[in-house]
Amino acid sequence: MSEKIRVMISEEEVEKRVREMGAVISQDYEGRDIRLVCVLKGGVFFTCELAKRITVPVSFDFMSVSSYGNDTKSSGVVKIVKDLDESIENKDVLVVEDIIDSGRTLSYLLENLKSRKPRSLKLCTLLDKPDRRVTEVQVDYTGFEIPDAFVVGYGLDYAQKYRNLPYIGIVELDG
Ligand code: IMP
Ligand code: MG
């Protein structure tokens, strides 16, 4: 089986939206510092680009979770593969994720982080597939709502490929 990638959201559109999100977040957090928690690996590209557009002080930490899924579906069983390096107690934490699909990964992660007593905890995602939601998650900042399709690029992978595409593309399988 081989796959083709069709552009869904162009590089220019993504960049424009990330700038807008950075401006809104900067305004919302005026006078405070943000601890950006990047969800590896998918959230890396978005975290870096977003951080460049935020004007209040930011610090970074990284977390890696695996959902025991196959290539295109998450199973709902979440395991922390790499935990944060630092405490988030009393910090204004903004979790940065590539995409919310079923919502299982993030609802688990947010509950886990909440128990560590941050001053505030918000969620920012580049993409959201609301039609696919199985578990309720409160998303504070969304880049784009997209229909139910498997997408790659800007950090998102298909079997670990295509993360470095500068746009969001749809994977079309053939063969
Ligand atoms: P959830 O737990 O179902 O919300 O799954 C979230 C995770 O599944 C994301 O962080 C991605 O790693 C992965 N994922 C979900 N949809 C896609 C997609 O369309 N392309 C690439 N990865 C995806
Ligand atoms: Mg992934």
Side-chain angles (χ1 to χ4, degrees):
M1 190 134 81
S2 66
E3 68 263 2
K4 279 194 204 123
I5 311 299
R6 183 162 53 80
V7 178
M8 179 192 247
I9 307 170
S10 71
E11 183 172 358
E12 292 71 27
E13 283 175 282
V14 177
E15 274 180 9
K16 178 166 173 277
R17 186 70 188 120
V18 172
R19 274 176 200 273
E20 288 169 359
M21 295 176 85
V24 171
I25 290 167
S26 301
Q27 224 168 34
D28 290 357
Y29 284 86
E30 179 97 53
R32 290 185 286 165
D33 295 8
I34 306 176
R35 170 67 50 85
L36 287 178
V37 168
C38 169
V39 184
L40 296 169
K41 303 170 187 165
V44 162
F45 287 70
F46 179 43
T47 300
C48 294
E49 294 305 313
L50 182 67
K52 281 154 66 178
R53 308 300 166 200
I54 294 176
T55 54
V56 301
V58 297
S59 58
F60 299 87
D61 210 339
F62 299 85
M63 205 158 173
S64 180
V65 292
S66 87
S67 62
Y68 294 112
N70 58 23
D71 286 343
T72 57
K73 284 207 172 61
S74 99
S75 64
V77 184
V78 178
K79 180 181 137 192
I80 295 179
V81 176
K82 185 223 168 291
D83 206 344
L84 298 176
D85 290 335
E86 289 172 63
S87 165
I88 53 169
E89 194 173 341
N90 257 329
K91 302 287 182 194
D92 289 305
V93 175
L94 180 59
V95 176
V96 184
E97 175 60 307
D98 53 358
I99 190 164
I100 318 281
D101 187 28
S102 70
R104 287 179 177 124
T105 309
L106 259 293
S107 69
Y108 170 84
L109 200 61
L110 290 176
E111 278 311 307
N112 181 296
L113 294 178
K114 212 180 283 173
S115 72
R116 306 182 195 194
K117 313 238 180 320
R119 183 185 300 135
S120 67
L121 180 62
K122 284 191 179 186
L123 171 60
C124 177
T125 186
L126 179 61
L127 304 173
D128 188 1
K129 291 197 259 191
D131 298 347
R132 300 250 316 157
R133 201 70 91 253
V134 172
T135 308
E136 186 68 32
V137 188
Q138 198 205 318
V139 188
D140 300 286
Y141 304 99
T142 303
F144 302 92
E145 287 196 356
I146 61 168
D148 179 8
F150 198 82
V151 292
V152 292
Y154 224 84
L156 291 144
D157 73 298
Y158 172 68
Q160 298 303 325
K161 289 189 290 184
Y162 308 118
R163 290 192 197 275
N164 58 320
L165 294 178
Y167 55 86
I168 305 295
I170 300 189
V171 181
E172 291 175 340
L173 298 175
D174 53 28

